[in-house]
Amino acid sequence: MTCWEGVLVFIAGVWAGTINTVVGSGTLVSFPVLLGVGLSPVTANVTNALGLFPGSFVGAYGYRRELVGQRSRVLVLGPTTALGALVGAILLLKLPASAFQAIVPVLIVIALLLVVFGKRVTAWMQARGGGASERVGPALVFTSFGTGVYGGYFGAAQGILLMGFLGLFLAESLQRQNALKNVLAGLVNLVAAVVFVVVATDHIDWVAAGLVAAGSIAGGLLGARIGRRLSPTVLRATIVVVGIAALVKLLL
């Protein structure tokens, strides 16, 4: 890796860390850059997961005020999300990358529809005895596990998926949902990183991982400062814009 390629990887880490904290889908920035500097797809994916997890937790720390009172939710959703991430990371090492890529655009579309129309869907479900609740229900536990599997395998747009499901099943403000999303996404990246360090060391580019990590930490701090200042309408619009960009990038 040349000096300029290293600078590019670092900048991609900053950008990815910022986007992950505010919305999600930072992988769609950093992953292609790692491919562009010569890493193989599996090595780029593993290196990217290892590099992004510090930024996720820095972003979650930046949202610490919005996390107040959500400890019980983290204690319930954290283990199921982490278990899903473990399954996804193992699948990455066992299955071809194309196994999940076909369904990724569909998942993103579903997530975006939930973000845009989530309030209406929730109101409709509540009128029929279901829908969002302040307590974590079975539906949210199940979807958090599924999102963890997806995040451990690939990770792109997992934040958008989480925001969609949190909006549908959790009666909470958008900013507090985003804070919880950052914790869960950070757990996914951490579990995946541990698995890769233990069993896939030969697929890790440590220099690139370090550059992405340094960038993602800076991006996590920046993203928290930006995201916490956005109104719910602007934040929701940002999620939709980034999600559409992610969808276009995956389909092209």
Side-chain angles (χ1 to χ4, degrees):
M1 185 185 302
T2 67
C3 178
W4 288 111
E5 287 176 338
V7 171
L8 183 61
V9 170
F10 173 77
I11 293 173
V14 174
W15 192 358
T18 303
I19 294 175
N20 275 343
T21 302
V22 177
V23 183
S25 294
T27 289
L28 294 175
V29 174
S30 51
F31 180 70
V33 171
L34 291 174
L35 291 177
V37 299
L39 274 62
S40 69
V42 173
T43 298
N45 204 356
V46 170
T47 299
N48 187 62
L50 185 61
L52 287 181
F53 89 85
S56 299
F57 285 111
V58 169
Y61 177 76
Y63 270 87
R64 59 193 179 278
R65 280 188 287 178
E66 286 76 16
L67 284 170
V68 173
Q70 299 205 72
R71 180 181 179 182
S72 61
R73 294 168 179 169
V74 173
L75 291 177
V76 173
L77 296 176
T80 56
T81 301
L83 179 60
L86 176 62
V87 173
I90 294 173
L91 288 176
L92 172 65
L93 301 176
K94 299 295 184 181
L95 299 178
S98 59
F100 268 20
Q101 287 178 351
I103 199 172
V104 170
V106 177
L107 292 174
I108 294 177
V109 169
I110 292 173
L112 290 177
L113 290 175
L114 289 176
V115 170
V116 175
F117 300 107
K119 285 187 175 181
R120 297 180 185 178
V121 174
T122 297
W124 181 84
M125 293 175 67
Q126 287 177 335
R128 288 155 180 79
S133 170
E134 292 185 358
R135 310 182 86 179
V136 174
L140 186 54
V141 172
F142 176 77
T143 51
S144 69
F145 172 79
T147 306
V149 174
Y150 169 67
Y153 187 94
F154 185 48
Q158 68 164 317
I160 293 175
L161 290 172
L162 277 169
M163 288 299 288
F165 291 129
L166 289 172
L168 183 62
F169 298 120
L170 190 64
E172 191 56 270
S173 70
L174 198 63
Q175 289 288 6
R176 283 172 62 80
Q177 289 173 9
N178 200 29
L180 182 57
K181 177 267 293 181
N182 284 332
V183 174
L184 298 179
L187 282 173
V188 169
N189 288 334
L190 175 60
V191 170
V194 170
V195 171
F196 298 149
V197 167
V198 172
V199 302
T201 307
D202 54 329
H203 285 300
I204 299 174
D205 186 310
W206 290 102
V207 173
L211 290 169
V212 172
S216 72
I217 290 172
L221 291 170
L222 180 61
R225 291 179 64 88
I226 295 173
R228 294 179 68 249
R229 288 172 167 78
L230 298 179
S231 69
T233 300
V234 174
L235 181 57
R236 188 172 284 108
T238 303
I239 294 172
V240 172
V241 170
V242 173
I244 292 174
L247 184 63
V248 171
K249 190 174 186 66
L250 285 169
L251 291 176
L252 293 180

